[in-house]
Amino acid sequence: MPKPRLQLCFTILHLILIQFASKLLAIRKDISLQQKYTCRNTVQGRNLLCDDNGHVCDALSVDPQSRCCLIKGEQFSCQGCNLVSQCCNTYEFCVSCCLNPLRTQKEQALRVKIAKPVTAGTYSSVFDFCAGRCRHNSESVVHENAYLSDFHHCFSLPSNSSAGTNDAILEARLNGINVVVGRQGESCDSVCKSSGQSCVPNKLLVLNQCEVMQKYLSCNGSCLASIGADQPAKVVVDAPKNMNPGACLYTRTQAMLSCEGSHRHTKRLCPCA
């Protein structure tokens, strides 16, 4: 076969291969475009559910294939939530609010144990953490079968939990916050106002831990659970003996955390900005 004709045959064969390859690539792209993300969602509520993107919708507004909310309202909605205690009156909005990365740090959430026993495992994702914490939180229950308040779906990290509080995490959570020890009987609103600042309510939860109070208050070796709007705080040394003078107090009833609270025998630890 003459060389010109042979070269022509090779050229035609080369063009055919290129065309076939481009069609095959296009088919693969089409297939990849058809693949949809599948959401995880809560299935506990009668009327609402929250998907793992942080959207809340009713059961009729869920895509049957992706299981994601079709009607997308506000992402990470905290509707009906107390942002100081991080407790909500609706389970689905608790999960939605919790999923906000600005409220829940993944590194900490994945270190929290699912249950109290030492052998219990930890949460495998932020969605699992939020869904679990909002569903059952012993700190929102009294007498095992009654709730402290309507805001009984809580997603906050457990006080003094196995998640711990190292200096790097604490510094990040208190970034821009001026931690101030108040005078005896003074509220955090008054403490912060005296320095031209305001109390930051949602940071009280960060200070409501023994490790943190020990750093700022020197708790004299004692840190006790209590119930009161003046916590976190330290009992003054000249307080009555039955009040544990010199001890630090943290509250297990997180819904009571308040900038306004005060007690005549304590000095408050306050987050100001």
Side-chain angles (χ1 to χ4, degrees):
M1 182 182 290
K3 278 189 177 182
R5 183 174 295 181
L6 184 61
Q7 288 178 347
L8 180 61
C9 289
F10 276 123
T11 303
I12 293 172
L13 181 61
H14 183 65
L15 291 173
I16 292 173
L17 288 174
I18 291 175
Q19 188 175 10
F20 177 76
S22 62
K23 286 184 178 180
L24 183 61
L25 183 60
I27 291 171
R28 287 181 178 174
K29 286 183 178 179
D30 289 341
I31 291 172
S32 65
L33 289 173
Q34 290 172 2
Q35 293 177 345
K36 288 187 176 181
Y37 173 78
T38 300
C39 288
R40 298 180 63 194
N41 61 50
T42 60
V43 291
Q44 177 171 317
R46 295 179 181 179
N47 303 312
L48 299 174
L49 58 81
C50 176
D51 64 28
D52 58 6
N53 290 318
H55 294 289
V56 176
C57 61
D58 59 57
L60 297 177
S61 302
V62 177
D63 187 316
Q65 294 181 339
S66 69
R67 298 172 62 194
C68 301
C69 288
L70 285 173
I71 301 175
K72 291 180 168 56
E74 180 186 354
Q75 189 179 25
F76 309 132
S77 174
C78 296
Q79 179 179 320
C81 297
N82 181 329
L83 297 182
V84 176
S85 63
Q86 293 184 307
C87 295
C88 310
N89 57 17
T90 307
Y91 172 68
E92 291 75 20
F93 283 106
C94 176
V95 176
S96 176
C97 191
C98 172
L99 286 171
N100 189 336
L102 297 178
R103 300 189 185 282
T104 303
Q105 293 189 0
K106 183 178 180 179
E107 294 78 8
Q108 284 187 297
L110 299 189
R111 291 165 59 191
V112 175
K113 288 186 177 294
I114 297 173
K116 288 185 178 180
V118 178
T119 55
T122 55
Y123 290 102
S124 60
S125 69
V126 175
F127 178 77
D128 288 330
F129 168 81
C130 294
R133 286 293 290 171
C134 288
R135 184 179 296 114
H136 50 79
N137 186 340
S138 60
E139 294 177 356
S140 64
V141 179
V142 62
H143 302 311
E144 297 185 357
N145 58 0
Y147 293 110
L148 289 168
S149 73
D150 290 336
F151 296 85
H152 55 261
H153 299 288
C154 304
F155 61 87
S156 59
L157 288 164
S159 299
N160 310 302
S161 71
S162 59
T165 305
N166 60 47
D167 290 340
I169 294 175
L170 179 61
E171 184 178 349
R173 296 186 71 184
L174 293 176
N175 184 35
I177 298 298
N178 183 23
V179 180
V180 183
V181 179
R183 294 188 293 257
Q184 181 176 341
E186 193 175 19
S187 72
C188 280
D189 275 340
S190 176
V191 172
C192 296
K193 187 177 180 180
S194 64
S195 60
Q197 297 180 309
S198 299
C199 176
V200 183
N202 62 4
K203 295 300 180 181
L204 285 168
L205 192 66
V206 182
L207 302 182
N208 188 49
Q209 302 179 62
C210 289
E211 298 96 326
V212 179
M213 284 186 282
Q214 182 64 45
K215 179 179 179 179
Y216 292 99
L217 295 171
S218 300
C219 303
N220 298 342
S222 181
C223 185
L224 308 172
S226 184
I227 298 176
D230 63 310
Q231 287 130 38
K234 180 179 179 179
V235 182
V236 294
V237 293
D238 59 349
K241 288 186 177 181
N242 66 329
M243 294 190 67
N244 300 294
C248 287
L249 305 177
Y250 71 92
T251 181
R252 286 178 175 169
T253 311
Q254 295 172 3
M256 295 189 70
L257 289 170
S258 163
C259 287
E260 296 87 2
S262 64
H263 192 284
R264 63 193 182 100
H265 290 304
T266 64
K267 292 182 178 180
R268 296 204 60 183
L269 187 62
C270 304
C272 304

